[in-house]
Amino acid sequence: MKSIAFALGIVGICLGAGPVFGATDTTARAGVTPATNNRGYQGNATAYRNNQRNNYFMVTQPDVDGACREKIYKCLSDYCGDVTVVPGQRSGRCTYATESELYNYALLCLQKDNSVLLPQYGVNTKNNTGGMNTAARLCPPYVQQELMSYLSMANMATQLSKSHSDLCLARRQELEAAMACHSVALAYGNETSSMLRTQLTDACGAGVPGGSAEMVSRFSNAGNIGANVWGWAEQIVNLNLNEKGSGWQSSVDAVLASYTNRMNLACGDDMQINTANYASSNGSTPTTLQTAAALVIGTAFPGTEPRTVENPYENWSVWQDVTSMSELYNYASAKQLVSAALSNVSTTQNAFLTSAQIDAMQNAYKLGTKVFIVRDSARCYIVPVAQMTDKETSLVAQSFANCISK
């Protein structure tokens, strides 16, 4: 009987301790290791290994596109020379090479390249050539896009080398002197030859950086009536060897344009000089030679063009500058100011404009002005009042690039 009681007591003790041991084991498992089948830190080790492998292959192992880019660039650089901004380092063979020439050469170069393209996948080409993993098989589809990239880089390198060349710097300095002479020639074009040459020599003579005696001569002789065969006859009659013919301002602009083209060719730029639209001469006016001939034979020469009434709107300025007496802090205020000036009488009191300014604005609007440039002490606004053509819009935008347009 005692033995039976002892056995039951042992069983009871075991049953009572079971839940305690179970709870302790569950807590330990939950606190020490995650609910995975890995032992210890095997999960962290696996994640670290996968991360290192992915980074290694992403950084050090090239893909097909990257490997083909290297192959194609090597073919083109062997043929043309490496792309560099150092002048004279590229081979002269490709100075005038066409796109088709380079494309064909790159294809022929790749056809001979049967080396393994991606070494990490080179099992099938280990013992033989001409397999799947070669540049000759995988890279031809990439030739066109890599050729465009190479040509783009070569073009940019050429532009940089031109912009930093000694010839480009000399041409830029020459153009600065020519622009100075251009303004002087227009200002003193109707003066005597000696005065014009003196002013030009001071502006772009031999002592001025970029200037020369040739430049002075070209600007001083631009537009002379002796430029054509009838001009020499005019000189004989007038005894004035320095008289400017009709449209001489355009001839002065043409001289400046020639220096601009020289700079563009040397520097690879595309600079364009905006010139004014000068009034065209009236072809019906008789020349001095015609007048002298009429006195001899008693008959007047007919005009080359039909006589028409001069149109005052033909050469009116597209824009007009207006300076405000008070500050204009936004575009809306400037537009309201222009609207008020064009709609009210000139004697209306205005805190921004005088009566003379309002009258001048209204007169300009009647004669064809399409935009007003309104200025205060620190700002300027472009306020159009009529529809402009694309050429006029471009001219205004370039001339007043620092002004607010809306």
Side-chain angles (χ1 to χ4, degrees):
M1 193 67 182
K2 291 183 178 180
S3 60
I4 295 173
F6 179 76
L8 292 174
I10 293 299
V11 172
I13 292 173
C14 290
L15 292 175
V20 177
F21 292 149
T24 304
D25 183 60
T26 303
T27 304
R29 289 177 182 272
V32 176
T33 60
T36 62
N37 295 326
N38 297 325
R39 300 183 59 186
Y41 293 97
Q42 183 65 34
N44 293 338
T46 302
Y48 178 78
R49 184 183 68 243
N50 293 335
N51 183 60
Q52 289 295 101
R53 182 175 58 191
N54 293 337
N55 286 338
Y56 174 78
F57 280 104
M58 290 294 292
V59 175
T60 64
Q61 301 300 313
D63 56 346
V64 176
D65 179 74
C68 286
R69 179 180 292 113
E70 295 179 3
K71 294 282 186 180
I72 298 170
Y73 183 83
K74 185 177 186 306
C75 287
L76 293 173
S77 61
D78 290 344
Y79 186 69
C80 295
D82 197 6
V83 175
T84 176
V85 295
V86 180
Q89 293 296 317
R90 294 182 59 211
S91 173
R93 179 184 298 176
C94 294
T95 304
Y96 298 101
T98 61
E99 179 184 340
S100 60
E101 175 187 346
L102 299 180
Y103 180 76
N104 293 335
Y105 179 81
L107 283 179
L108 292 174
C109 178
L110 289 177
Q111 289 302 318
K112 298 183 297 182
D113 191 352
N114 286 314
S115 60
V116 177
L117 182 64
L118 302 177
Q120 68 274 24
Y121 305 118
V123 178
N124 62 334
T125 56
K126 184 175 182 180
N127 299 321
N128 62 334
T129 59
M132 297 290 294
N133 188 8
T134 61
R137 185 175 183 86
L138 298 176
C139 292
Y142 297 94
V143 171
Q144 186 64 35
Q145 86 180 56
E146 296 309 324
L147 177 60
M148 290 295 99
S149 176
Y150 179 85
L151 291 176
S152 177
M153 289 188 297
N155 182 57
M156 289 187 292
T158 302
Q159 296 295 329
L160 283 174
S161 61
K162 278 187 175 182
S163 299
H164 291 83
S165 64
D166 295 337
L167 179 61
C168 173
L169 298 179
R171 289 288 186 261
R172 290 185 188 278
Q173 203 169 50
E174 182 184 60
L175 179 60
E176 291 180 2
M179 294 179 72
C181 264
H182 177 264
S183 60
V184 170
L186 291 179
Y188 294 90
N190 291 319
E191 301 292 339
T192 61
S193 177
S194 59
M195 182 177 183
L196 176 60
R197 278 189 169 271
T198 300
Q199 297 294 333
L200 290 174
T201 303
D202 293 339
C204 62
V208 179
S212 63
E214 177 192 3
M215 185 180 296
V216 172
S217 178
R218 292 185 64 184
F219 276 104
S220 62
N221 293 328
N224 285 349
I225 59 175
N228 53 60
V229 64
W230 291 108
W232 290 108
E234 289 277 349
Q235 289 182 3
I236 295 174
V237 175
N238 288 326
L239 298 180
N240 183 358
L241 303 182
N242 302 305
E243 182 180 352
K244 298 292 183 181
S246 59
W248 61 270
Q249 297 98 330
S250 299
S251 300
V252 176
D253 290 344
V255 176
L256 178 62
S258 67
Y259 286 104
T260 306
N261 292 335
R262 284 160 59 94
M263 189 276 295
N264 287 336
L265 290 174
C267 301
D269 293 341
D270 189 22
M271 179 183 291
Q272 297 180 359
I273 302 298
N274 293 325
T275 57
N277 293 323
Y278 305 107
S280 58
S281 61
N282 189 358
S284 62
T285 303
T287 63
T288 307
L289 184 62
Q290 291 173 343
T291 303
L295 294 175
V296 174
I297 63 177
T299 304
F301 281 80
T304 57
E305 296 179 0
R307 291 181 177 270
T308 57
V309 179
E310 184 177 0
N311 183 8
Y313 308 94
E314 181 180 0
N315 298 293
W316 195 260
S317 177
V318 177
W319 67 78
Q320 184 180 40
D321 275 278
V322 180
T323 303
S324 172
M325 296 183 295
S326 302
E327 299 296 323
L328 297 170
Y329 295 102
N330 51 56
Y331 182 82
S333 300
K335 187 174 182 180
Q336 183 179 4
L337 174 64
V338 173
S339 300
L342 296 180
S343 58
N344 297 328
V345 296
S346 59
T347 55
T348 304
Q349 292 185 356
N350 194 311
F352 299 90
L353 301 174
T354 63
S355 298
Q357 287 177 310
I358 296 176
D359 187 71
M361 290 175 65
Q362 294 178 357
N363 186 45
Y365 178 74
K366 295 176 183 178
L367 292 177
T369 294
K370 296 182 178 181
V371 62
F372 290 95
I373 310 301
V374 183
R375 305 178 183 273
D376 61 6
S377 62
R379 292 161 292 271
C380 66
Y381 303 90
I382 302 175
V383 182
V385 294
Q387 186 68 30
M388 294 187 292
T389 63
D390 294 339
K391 185 176 181 180
E392 292 171 344
T393 303
S394 177
L395 181 62
V396 171
Q398 294 179 20
S399 302
F400 305 98
N402 61 328
C403 294
I404 302 171
S405 58
K406 60 181 179 179

